[in-house]
Amino acid sequence: MIWLAVAIAIAWLIIGSFAGPLSGKLSEVQKNDNASFLPASAESTVVANEQKRFSGNDQIPILVVVSRPDGSQLTPGDRSSIGGLLAKIPATVVGTSTVAAIDGHAPLLPIPSQDGKAVLISVPIPSALATAKLANGDLTLGAITESLRQLGTQLPGLQVNVTGPGGILSDLFKVFGGIDTTLLGVTALVVALILIFVYRSPFLWLIPLLASGMALSAASAIVYVLAKNNILVLNGQSQGILTVLVFGAGTDYALLLVARYREELHHHQLHTDAMKAALRGVVEPITASAATVCIGLLCLLLSELNSNRSIGPVSAAGILGALVVMMTFLPALLVIPSIVLPILAFLVPAILGLLLHLAFGISAAPLLIVGALAASVTVVAWIVFGILRIIKPTWGPFSREHFPPGRWAFWPRMPREGTADTRLTGVWAKLSGGIGRRPRLVWMATAAIMIVLACFSLTLKASGISTTAAFTNRPDSVIGQQVLTDHFPGGTGTPAVIIANASAVDAVTKAAQATPGIAAVAPGPAGIVGGKVLLNATLAVAADSPAAEDAIAALRANVHQVAGGDALVGGQTASQYDVDQATQHDLHVIIPVVLAVIFLILLLLLRAIVAPVILIASVVLSYLATLGVCALAFTHLFGFAGADTSFPLFAFVFLVALGVDYNIFLMTRVREESTKLGTRPGILRGLTVTGGVITSAGVVLAATFLVLGVLPLVFLREIGLAVAIGVILDTFIIRSLLVPAATYDAGKAIWWPSKLSKAQQPSATAPLGSPASTAGR
């Protein structure tokens, strides 16, 4: 097995050398526009396609708003300065194109506000060009936006903000552009700190961390290839979720395997035999867990939204990568932990070099070379030292006698054959004993607490939030949007687009003007095209607000009623409205399917009906309780304006799929122990031996999802908080108290209709340290 482990480790390192560069390019294949979210049948998508006949291409408007910082009236001198700005915009160079060339034919005109305190300049950018890349890899839209902001700094005494759909998208691109480095670095640091605390070993923490990094690299490379070839759509949200999901789930699998390996080392002389036994013990629960999460996430393929459909396979690829790596690469590293030393010798100088490069611009190449040389020397020393350990097993302070093979990574608490496992007399043994004494009281009390928390889920505000409220900070586009709504009708520059038959244009116009929330309706400049006309309806409220979506719904209802009009309503706000409507559809379709799929998996895994029913009920209760806690935290603790309409769906998929993991880890071990000890003793022993590792896994997963909070976006922070809260509830209440107590109270009936439900049970619970409790090993 030693040589097989070496071969597997080397194979994965070779794979990583190819996958690493590809995973680093993941941000290059992101698509964050609404068009990539909606299906072709959506009304706003149909309008966008029709709109090309009038303008020749889709356009993303960048809105430049000029005002005085104190909010006072603009002076004649200010207007002269604005005129100078207007003259400079067409000559603003962005790569090899100018704004004049990008704009094409329409002249740029200043639009003064009625109160005389602001001027608006709309700079339309073709969508295809906006998402193109310049020679340095930057998106053209972002480069144009930054150029306009630089021009604005040349107007003393005036405040120039660049906003609108183009400005907001540019700020989103800026956030997502650094997602791979920022999120990965913080996630790795958080996981490393938790593993160091859990293992209290200077060596062991690096092994799961290295395996998690390999899993992320492999999964990201696969996603990059699929997104590059338009097989799936990757957006910034799904990339952020991929990073924390792989690290969180991968570390969970690693903790379970390492804990079982440590346990088996107490019962086997050869560490390779201990690893074989550990793999036999964890392959079923880890594979079942990964399958549950993957299938649950793939249920998102039933979504009407392209973005949701992509998150499913993107996340499933991450889970699959974590599973394969943790079942192959991680065991190889644990059997031969010293193979990590050359990797560490390279990583330390390499990471130091990258940090110096990012902080001070110093070239990282010298330290990368030092790392390569250090790794080479370490490999040679590793081979020589390994031979000496075999030839002279008792020689030196690091001999095989003092640091046994496969065990020294656990130093200073190395498990040895025949020694007692301290977990059988620790905190979890006492907790399981308490549950065994009063199971009904425990599960009824914990269920009551969760039901109370679940009641607060009715107060969750998930009707959507404005785009500007979606940032936790105040970028220039958010400030500009506020200035825009202060001095202009909220939808100025981002109108709703109505396309109707020319024969009914007057009736459609009157219906649109009579709609609450519509400030003005004006015909487009192209006139009649193919018997159709285009009307621009300016919204009275901010175009990115929930109130604007209500206005779109009313506008559609009114213009659809015009006989012979065949009117359709699109535009930026309509696109977001269609996204929200599709999300509501997905919520009612996907949730029942996910529950049914997970129930079937539990049915096959536990070979019973009653136990899966209890587990499904527990995770649904946990989900509702999590929504209740989130409703309180979002409003009263963090002051969020609300939650995105897709929040309940994503929270459900991740919480149920990930939350059931811990019950799978627990109940598969309970079933294993029940075949030896009986159901009730098996439940107590299963909780005792898995309690510490599952709790550690829950803390790791919660912490990794909390890392999403480093990104200044409300949606990702809310998802991170929701998963973290849900996992903590699952780990410390559901899996530690409610499920063990409820199943203990039910007894062997939980295995109905399998043979285990009819098996002879011990008359009393044997103490965990007694021979009966360890029988059958």
Side-chain angles (χ1 to χ4, degrees):
M1 187 175 179
I2 295 294
W3 291 111
L4 177 61
V6 172
I8 291 173
I10 293 174
W12 270 111
L13 293 176
I14 294 172
I15 292 171
S17 67
F18 290 99
L22 292 180
S23 63
K25 299 179 181 179
L26 207 54
S27 295
E28 298 178 6
V29 292
Q30 286 184 16
K31 293 182 180 179
N32 295 295
D33 56 296
N34 278 343
S36 64
F37 284 28
L38 288 167
S41 59
E43 185 170 338
S44 56
T45 306
V46 174
V47 171
N49 293 330
E50 286 283 328
Q51 195 174 354
K52 295 176 183 178
R53 299 168 59 191
F54 292 85
S55 62
N57 53 53
D58 279 336
Q59 294 180 332
I60 299 176
I62 298 177
L63 304 182
V64 181
V65 188
V66 186
S67 61
R68 294 190 68 84
D70 59 2
S72 60
Q73 295 277 336
L74 294 173
T75 65
D78 294 336
R79 298 183 188 280
S80 176
S81 298
I82 294 171
L85 172 67
L86 195 65
K88 290 179 181 179
I89 288 177
T92 300
V93 178
V94 182
T96 58
S97 302
T98 66
V99 169
I102 291 169
D103 183 38
H105 57 278
L108 302 179
L109 299 175
I111 304 173
S113 64
Q114 288 188 352
D115 60 11
K117 296 180 179 180
V119 168
L120 172 66
I121 304 169
S122 179
V123 183
I125 308 297
S127 298
L129 185 57
T131 54
K133 286 184 169 33
L134 300 174
N136 61 1
D138 292 339
L139 285 171
T140 303
L141 181 65
I144 295 172
T145 303
E146 289 306 313
S147 297
L148 293 175
R149 286 170 177 163
Q150 287 297 319
L151 278 181
T153 62
Q154 300 175 16
L155 300 186
L158 292 175
Q159 176 179 320
V160 179
N161 302 108
V162 181
T163 186
I168 293 171
L169 268 178
S170 295
D171 288 335
L172 282 173
F173 289 154
K174 190 182 298 182
V175 171
F176 290 135
I179 199 171
D180 47 358
T181 53
T182 302
L183 205 58
L184 178 59
V186 176
T187 303
L189 179 61
V190 168
V191 172
L193 292 174
I194 295 174
L195 290 177
I196 290 172
F197 175 79
V198 169
Y199 290 133
R200 295 179 177 86
S201 167
F203 310 110
L204 187 58
W205 64 272
L206 183 61
I207 295 175
L209 188 65
L210 182 62
S212 296
M214 182 65 73
L216 179 62
S217 180
S220 298
I222 293 171
V223 171
Y224 172 82
V225 172
L226 295 177
K228 183 75 172 177
N229 292 282
N230 297 316
I231 297 174
L232 56 77
V233 176
L234 177 75
N235 57 46
Q237 292 176 355
S238 58
Q239 183 179 343
I241 291 170
L242 174 69
T243 299
V244 298
L245 186 63
V246 173
F247 259 92
T251 307
D252 279 3
Y253 302 155
L255 285 166
L256 196 67
L257 175 60
V258 172
R260 190 61 181 260
Y261 178 48
R262 185 202 294 267
E263 180 182 340
E264 296 296 342
L265 286 172
H266 288 283
H267 306 287
H268 294 86
Q269 181 179 7
L270 294 177
H271 67 288
T272 51
D273 292 340
M275 177 54 70
K276 291 176 184 176
L279 284 171
R280 284 195 298 271
V282 302
V283 66
E284 184 181 39
I286 290 179
T287 303
S289 167
T292 303
V293 178
C294 284
I295 295 174
L297 290 168
L298 288 175
C299 288
L300 288 172
L301 291 171
L302 299 173
S303 172
E304 287 191 343
L305 295 175
N306 296 330
S307 56
N308 287 359
R309 286 202 297 269
S310 80
I311 287 180
V314 167
S315 300
I319 294 294
L320 186 61
L323 172 67
V324 174
V325 169
M326 295 307 168
M327 291 291 96
T328 55
F329 189 47
L330 177 62
L333 294 181
L334 288 170
V335 170
I336 317 172
S338 56
I339 201 171
V340 176
L341 297 178
I343 301 172
L344 185 63
F346 172 76
L347 285 178
V348 171
I351 293 174
L352 180 60
L354 291 174
L355 291 175
L356 291 174
H357 175 70
L358 292 174
F360 306 105
I362 300 173
S363 174
L367 283 174
L368 290 174
I369 295 172
V370 170
L373 291 174
S376 301
V377 172
T378 307
V379 167
V380 174
W382 173 57
I383 294 173
V384 172
F385 188 66
I387 294 173
L388 287 175
R389 279 168 56 87
I390 295 173
I391 296 175
K392 298 183 177 182
T394 60
W395 176 79
F398 300 105
S399 64
R400 292 168 67 89
E401 181 179 333
H402 292 94
F403 286 84
R407 302 173 192 258
W408 67 264
F410 293 92
W411 186 88
R413 297 186 298 174
M414 292 182 292
R416 296 177 183 270
E417 182 190 14
T419 59
D421 191 341
T422 56
R423 291 182 302 172
L424 299 181
T425 56
V427 173
W428 289 98
K430 296 175 182 177
L431 177 64
S432 64
I435 291 174
R437 286 188 291 273
R438 296 205 167 182
R440 187 163 301 175
L441 175 63
V442 172
W443 76 258
M444 291 183 68
T446 52
I449 293 171
M450 299 295 281
I451 290 172
V452 170
L453 293 176
C455 290
F456 288 100
S457 65
L458 300 174
T459 66
L460 179 69
K461 295 182 291 184
S463 57
I465 56 177
S466 66
T467 306
T468 50
F471 290 89
T472 58
N473 56 1
R474 286 178 58 80
D476 183 62
S477 60
V478 171
I479 298 171
Q481 193 69 24
Q482 183 61 54
V483 175
L484 184 69
T485 54
D486 287 344
H487 302 293
F488 295 89
T492 301
T494 315
V497 177
I498 305 172
I499 293 180
N501 292 332
S503 59
V505 63
D506 292 337
V508 171
T509 301
K510 289 180 181 179
Q513 289 173 335
T515 303
I518 302 298
V521 180
I528 299 175
V529 177
K532 298 280 189 178
V533 293
L534 183 149
L535 302 173
N536 290 318
T538 301
L539 297 164
V541 293
D544 62 342
S545 65
E549 292 188 34
D550 293 338
I552 290 294
L555 178 61
R556 282 181 173 173
N558 284 353
V559 300
H560 287 173
Q561 292 176 1
V562 176
D566 295 332
L568 298 174
V569 178
Q572 292 286 328
T573 308
S575 293
Q576 186 56 51
Y577 175 78
D578 287 339
V579 167
D580 291 345
Q581 292 302 302
T583 299
Q584 291 301 318
H585 165 272
D586 294 347
L587 193 65
H588 296 103
V589 171
I590 294 176
I591 285 181
V593 174
V594 171
L595 287 176
V597 167
I598 291 178
F599 179 76
L600 289 175
I601 293 174
L602 292 173
L603 206 68
L604 295 173
L605 180 66
L606 299 178
R607 307 166 188 83
I609 293 178
V610 177
V613 169
I614 293 174
L615 297 185
I616 286 291
S618 72
V619 295
V620 171
L621 180 60
S622 175
Y623 166 69
L624 295 175
T626 299
L627 291 188
V629 176
C630 287
L632 296 173
F634 293 172
T635 302
H636 302 292
L637 186 59
F638 299 103
F640 294 146
D644 190 81
T645 52
S646 63
F647 170 77
L649 175 62
F650 283 118
F652 176 83
V653 171
F654 285 111
L655 283 175
V656 172
L658 294 171
V660 80
D661 270 10
Y662 303 114
N663 285 324
I664 287 175
F665 294 158
L666 170 66
M667 293 305 294
T668 50
R669 187 59 185 266
V670 165
R671 181 177 177 82
E672 178 185 338
E673 298 296 340
S674 295
T675 59
K676 307 170 187 175
L677 311 175
T679 296
R680 285 191 168 120
I683 290 170
L684 299 186
R685 183 179 175 90
L687 176 61
T688 298
V689 297
T690 63
V693 62
I694 296 179
T695 302
S696 300
V699 171
V700 169
L701 188 62
T704 52
F705 267 87
L706 281 176
V707 170
L708 286 172
V710 305
L711 300 175
L713 295 175
V714 169
F715 175 77
L716 288 180
R717 285 196 178 182
E718 289 181 339
I719 285 294
L721 284 168
V723 175
I725 292 169
V727 166
I728 292 299
L729 290 177
D730 273 324
T731 303
F732 288 93
I733 298 180
I734 297 294
R735 192 268 316 161
S736 298
L737 299 171
L738 197 153
V739 168
T743 53
Y744 189 96
D745 195 21
K748 66 179 182 179
I750 63 172
W751 307 120
W752 183 86
S754 70
K755 293 181 180 179
L756 194 56
S757 66
K758 305 177 184 66
Q760 184 69 32
Q761 303 290 309
S763 57
T765 299
L768 288 173
S770 69
S773 71
T774 57
R777 176 166 292 284

